[in-house]
Amino acid sequence: MVRLKYIFIGFVIKLLISNISSQSLPFEKCGQHLSDFEENRILNWGYGYNDLLGDLVVWSQSPYVTIDSIGSSVQNRAIWELTISDNPSSTIYKRIYIHARTHPGEEESFWVANEIINFLLSDSPEANAIRSQCIFHIVPMHNPDGVELGYSRENANGIDIESGWDDSVIQPEVSALQNRFIDLSFVIPNPIEVALNMHSAYACKRYFVYHHETGTSDNFTLMEKNFISGIQAYYPGGFEDWNYFISWSNGTPDQYPESWWWLNYGENVMALTYEDMNCSEAGNYDLTADAIVKGVCDYIGVNLSNIKNDDLLPNGYKLYQNYPNPFNPTTLINFDIPEDSFVKVSVLDIKGREVSVILEGEQTAGSQSITWEAVDNYDNNLPSGVYLCLMKVNDYMSTKKMILLR
Ligand SMILES: [Zn+2]
């Protein structure tokens, strides 16, 4: 009798758990609170398919991007992919694949991908260096039907396309991505080395879903720790430690994109899910994107710290727009000088008063990058506001508007 009672309680608990997880509440690695659904889904969670089509037009102006459809959704919407590189057909460039918004209600994953795209298409010396050594493939909206239908996780067939990667009948969105992964990994000299699957979670933290050695290998977990910690180092306090969310401790599941990668390509591909914050505290997508791109570059051996030693000297003086902007409180200021020169870079407030001298002295020719922490010459924090970055070299003078938002 006692045993029966426990079995019954177990049964009720199991029912409760299956009911809860079908509503995407705890026990799932990502998702949002039910209370957020209604108001957000009406707005396609703030970014719909037409918004994407508009942005594709803008992005397509860049000489460094090609935009193509990798397939169609159930309702025949194109699934768009951006390829960013200065030589997309290179057979030696490093290849990275990023797809976002498999779960429509996790729009933060798009905002991070959006900043990754903006970073990679920017004029900064770092972006330039990345484009000349890498090919980035980015799918900003993997599940356009779900976005338009206001589903939180499913496609137009009502199926969660984050799983089902091993099903006998594969959903068209899954098939489009799988075929693309195969095309870019199988029998080509420079296969995909990093594959990121972008989501966001109500846990309200930024983290990577780490795979335990039981489901992978000892060697792979070392690579995972290295990868995650490397990204984290570029945005201290922004990301959780590698062990914040450990999955696969009971073995390799078979239904997810990362399962597919592991089962087919093993240690050759660093395939991970990234979870941004799905809560009102979400933000700093630019810092997040910057850290992810730089961490990925370090991991695959693309060196960005040697940019200033590049043999190719710039052919003119140039001050670039600071990045990120707006910023809080750290921002990067990049500039070019074609020959060794005396350079002054300073910051003026809105009334034209000099509030900070960031750099003043003889500099060697090349592209340079300096970090500014939004402090004055006495190391006092400057208040939020609009500032001007002023660069002077001989007769050359250039300014850029910078916005500090504390
Ligand atoms: Zn998700």
Side-chain angles (χ1 to χ4, degrees), residues 41-54:
R41 72 176 5 150
I42 294 165
L43 304 167
N44 306 118
W45 291 278
Y47 191 90
Y49 192 62
N50 284 336
D51 296 312
L52 176 66
L53 296 180

Side-chain angles (χ1 to χ4, degrees), residues 30 103 106 199:
C30 51
H103 288 149
E106 298 169 18
H199 291 255

Side-chain angles (χ1 to χ4, degrees), residues 217-365:
S217 68
D218 288 345
N219 192 40
F220 190 73
T221 56
L222 288 176
M223 293 157 71
E224 283 185 283
K225 288 171 195 166
N226 174 25
F227 180 84
I228 297 167
S229 308
I231 288 172
Q232 192 184 27
Y234 281 108
Y235 183 10
F239 295 88
E240 299 304 304
D241 291 340
W242 64 267
N243 58 359
Y244 173 75
F245 194 106
I246 297 179
S247 65
W248 298 17
S249 22
N250 294 323
T252 320
D254 49 17
Q255 68 268 45
Y256 304 117
E258 289 76 36
S259 320
W260 184 91
W261 277 114
W262 178 255
L263 296 170
N264 289 290
Y265 295 95
E267 293 174 1
N268 294 323
V269 180
M270 180 50 62
L272 293 178
T273 284
Y274 166 68
E275 299 280 359
D276 204 75
M277 307 165 99
N278 199 325
C279 58
S280 54
E281 289 83 4
N284 285 344
Y285 304 118
D286 48 357
L287 298 180
T288 306
D290 182 271
I292 290 175
V293 170
K294 289 176 181 167
V296 165
C297 286
D298 286 348
Y299 178 80
I300 57 180
V302 168
N303 194 344
L304 300 181
S305 59
N306 279 342
I307 299 170
K308 64 183 71 166
N309 300 327
D310 201 323
D311 292 338
L312 289 170
L313 288 176
N315 48 23
Y317 295 103
K318 182 162 184 182
L319 172 66
Y320 293 88
Q321 184 66 54
N322 63 303
Y323 185 90
N325 191 42
F327 65 102
N328 176 26
T330 304
T331 192
L332 263 185
I333 296 164
N334 297 304
F335 62 86
D336 293 342
I337 47 172
E339 57 192 358
D340 294 358
S341 322
F342 189 89
V343 179
K344 181 174 180 183
V345 178
S346 56
V347 176
L348 314 181
D349 67 12
I350 196 74
K351 291 178 178 163
R353 291 177 302 212
E354 184 179 277
V355 292
S356 176
V357 176
I358 308 177
L359 175 78
E360 190 169 22
E362 197 66 29
Q363 302 294 316
T364 48

